[in-house]
Amino acid sequence: MSEHIFSDAIERVRRIGENAGVSQDVINALMHPQATLTATLPVRMDDGSTRYFTGYRCRYNNILGPSKGGIRFHWEVNRQEVQALALWMTIKCSVVGLPYGGAKGGICVDPKQLSAMEIERLSRAYVRAMADFIGPDMDIPAPDVYTNERIMGWMMNEYETIKRVKAPAVITGKPISLGGSLGRDDATGRGAYMCIRQLALKKGWDPKNITVAVQGFGNGGYHVARLLHNAGYKIVAISDSQGGIYSDKGFDVESIYKGKQQTSRVTALYCEHTVCELVEHQAITNKQILELDVDILIPAALEGVINRNNVNQIKAKTIVEIANGPILGDVDQIIQAKNILVIPDVLANAGGVTVSYFEWVQNKNGYYWTLEDVHQRLENLMNKAFNETWEIAQKEGCSMRDAAYTLAMRRLGSAIEAHGTQKYFSQ
Ligand code: NAD
């Protein structure tokens, strides 16, 4: 699948762009990543041997500003995947109206097989290889799958050591004590929650009647489940890489989170203070969780999980994409024909990059905001992006994904056209 993920991603841009009447100059510009660096990262392992890992960074497009995107540590990372993720970041930053282009990075590694010290050496090796490719005004990384704030702190420190300057704005998602922003930890889940709240207003939903399944219980999945549960939604299924749990009565999200911290897996628990007990549930697989008949399905793990093999089994009425690219482009039409409303990744998970942008602004100014301030600014931008997308979908009779891409491409188009297009130069 991952060999096709980039061609699938650019095909989607072409299809949506042409349907929306976006100029061919803009579509062409989005077909080509500006630069992708592949590097070998030698790392001294704890047993004294040296292992060689492959790292990537793609700066996809920077017409709207310095490029921005996370770094992923995963055994399936490859050049095609990184380029697809960088293209989606380009669209996403434009949907929310951030002054950023898109980028992405990653290392092909199973981080669960490495010690903490090996992960630190690998993180620093990545920055040594990429130090001239990234920078506070050029390309700004952040966390993604299996990377976290500690890793961002090591990476910032390595960059500053190489450049002999203090440069907190080179990376976002850092620990608060090293220049991170309040509110970055749950920003992705919170942004998705804000989209669901806007949708609930349009649909007149009563949260207690709305069932939700969440695939992936990491940074994005946990926080959206927590916020939805607190707002009264019924979280009936949760999974992580090892499998999932289902109960039509709904779960207490915080108890499951507590259990996962202790046992490293999702367990159907209900906890009162320090006492936890197992609650009635059914064990389900990651395939089954996607096929549940729920009101909202939230894929929050990896891309490509809804594809030609399972699209006909999908029964959810709404899909909120926290993962990047969970629905492959070649099944977009089938999903639409099934009348499933999709809040696309480029909108639903944009809360993360939005608060990363806030972190970068604070680092550049040396002036730090309160949590209330961050939440309010995030809400303003997410609600604006959601409603602008909704308007286009209503007016132009298209899906929310097509509307979000159209919005993004029109904004990118204004910048690209400002430099002159074929029409201007051939007059
Ligand atoms: P994370 O590493 O915190 O969590 C990933 C979760 O997915 C873990 O619970 C893991 O067990 C689970 N998982 C891994 N493989 C799985 C599988 N095959 N089936 C089911 N679950 C599996 O990562 P995250 O930061 O929450 O990122 C998740 C998704 O959200 C990714 O697609 C990422 O690109 C996207 N995203 C994250 C952010 C962010 O700020 N963290 C922002 C935008 C988008």
Side-chain angles (χ1 to χ4, degrees):
M1 185 268 298
S2 59
E3 317 85 72
H4 306 302
I5 196 160
F6 181 55
S7 48
D8 187 83
I10 57 174
E11 208 32 60
R12 186 184 255 162
V13 166
R14 189 196 305 278
R15 176 183 61 75
I16 299 174
E18 285 174 359
N19 285 347
V22 170
S23 112
Q24 201 57 47
D25 295 71
V26 177
I27 298 172
N28 289 345
L30 288 173
M31 296 292 112
H32 306 286
Q34 284 176 343
T36 308
L37 179 60
T38 303
T40 298
L41 315 174
V43 176
R44 178 80 61 202
M45 307 303 282
D46 292 346
D47 67 1
S49 66
T50 300
R51 263 182 75 183
Y52 296 87
F53 297 90
T54 307
Y56 306 90
R57 185 80 191 162
C58 171
R59 297 193 315 232
Y60 200 92
N61 184 287
N62 66 357
I63 191 110
L64 293 177
S67 52
K68 183 93 189 77
I71 299 173
R72 175 175 295 197
F73 286 3
H74 196 274
W75 51 96
E76 283 178 356
V77 163
N78 59 59
R79 195 181 170 95
Q80 300 294 317
E81 182 191 62
V82 168
Q83 292 186 157
L85 287 160
L87 168 56
W88 295 331
M89 284 304 298
T90 307
I91 301 288
K92 188 184 308 178
C93 292
S94 179
V95 169
V96 197
L98 304 180
Y100 279 149
K104 203 77 182 191
I107 303 177
C108 182
V109 57
D110 181 356
K112 292 180 187 172
Q113 305 298 321
L114 266 52
S115 72
M117 280 197 283
E118 288 167 342
I119 290 182
E120 179 179 359
R121 291 194 285 267
L122 178 64
S123 306
R124 290 182 183 276
Y126 182 85
V127 173
R128 281 197 299 280
M130 304 290 167
D132 291 330
F133 203 70
I134 61 173
D137 296 309
M138 182 159 48
D139 176 32
I140 307 129
D144 192 70
V145 175
Y146 295 146
T147 53
N148 55 28
E149 58 171 40
R150 188 181 300 279
I151 293 174
M152 298 304 111
W154 289 330
M155 289 185 166
M156 175 192 77
N157 179 261
E158 191 65 26
Y159 182 85
E160 291 180 336
T161 305
I162 293 166
K163 300 287 178 181
R164 295 179 184 271
V165 285
K166 279 286 171 197
V170 71
I171 204 156
T172 59
K174 303 178 292 290
I176 306 284
S177 55
L178 298 179
S181 176
L182 294 171
R184 176 61 184 87
D185 51 353
D186 71 358
T188 302
R190 186 172 289 273
Y193 167 66
M194 286 164 175
C195 289
I196 295 171
R197 232 177 31 186
Q198 287 300 305
L199 184 63
L201 285 175
K202 314 261 181 223
K203 299 266 178 192
W205 282 347
D206 179 355
K208 71 174 186 304
N209 299 327
I210 304 292
T211 55
V212 183
V214 183
Q215 186 198 43
F217 200 54
N219 177 288
Y222 158 60
H223 285 296
V224 75
R226 174 180 63 82
L227 291 163
L228 287 171
H229 174 74
N230 292 347
Y233 288 80
K234 210 193 248 188
I235 314 299
V236 295
I238 294 177
S239 72
D240 71 2
S241 60
Q242 302 174 66
I245 49 177
Y246 171 82
S247 163
D248 58 4
K249 295 190 186 67
F251 291 115
D252 177 54
V253 173
E254 215 48 57
S255 300
I256 294 171
Y257 180 67
K258 231 187 236 176
K260 177 151 164 94
Q261 281 184 313
Q262 281 157 13
T263 63
S264 293
R265 54 191 318 150
V266 292
T267 314
L269 293 178
Y270 178 71
C271 305
E272 270 207 69
H273 308 295
T274 54
V275 184
C276 297
E277 62 180 69
L278 210 58
V279 294
E280 203 181 307
H281 70 284
Q282 200 183 316
I284 54 170
T285 63
N286 265 305
K287 178 176 182 300
Q288 288 169 321
I289 198 168
L290 296 169
E291 297 172 6
L292 290 173
D293 188 359
V294 286
D295 295 302
I296 305 178
L297 171 66
I298 307 184
L302 295 171
E303 60 268 9
V305 292
I306 299 177
N307 50 49
R308 288 209 170 267
N309 298 329
N310 65 355
V311 65
N312 290 322
Q313 277 75 55
I314 304 299
K315 297 174 204 72
K317 294 172 192 67
T318 305
I319 300 178
V320 179
E321 297 183 321
I322 284 198
N324 283 303
I327 302 178
L328 286 185
D330 66 355
V331 300
D332 278 350
Q333 319 284 11
I334 305 176
I335 291 277
Q336 227 177 317
K338 282 167 74 88
N339 237 339
I340 300 173
L341 194 157
V342 178
I343 309 293
D345 49 4
V346 292
L347 171 64
N349 71 27
V353 70
T354 301
V355 178
S356 272
Y357 164 61
F358 296 164
E359 181 174 332
W360 179 80
V361 169
Q362 292 171 80
N363 293 150
K364 287 203 152 250
N365 286 297
Y367 177 74
Y368 290 84
W369 309 344
T370 63
L371 184 61
E372 292 68 35
D373 217 355
V374 170
H375 284 173
Q376 192 54 58
R377 289 172 192 261
L378 174 64
E379 186 164 356
N380 294 348
L381 286 189
M382 288 305 302
N383 288 354
K384 181 167 178 283
F386 182 94
N387 285 303
E388 283 175 342
T389 304
W390 183 268
E391 285 294 301
I392 294 177
Q394 299 301 307
K395 270 204 197 115
E396 303 186 18
C398 62
S399 69
M400 284 291 277
R401 186 188 316 280
D402 286 20
Y405 272 64
T406 301
L407 174 64
M409 280 194 261
R410 285 181 185 156
R411 275 195 185 127
L412 283 155
S414 307
I416 291 168
E417 282 159 17
H419 287 300
T421 57
Q422 186 186 4
K423 195 168 156 214
Y424 171 80
F425 288 109
S426 58
Q427 270 166 8

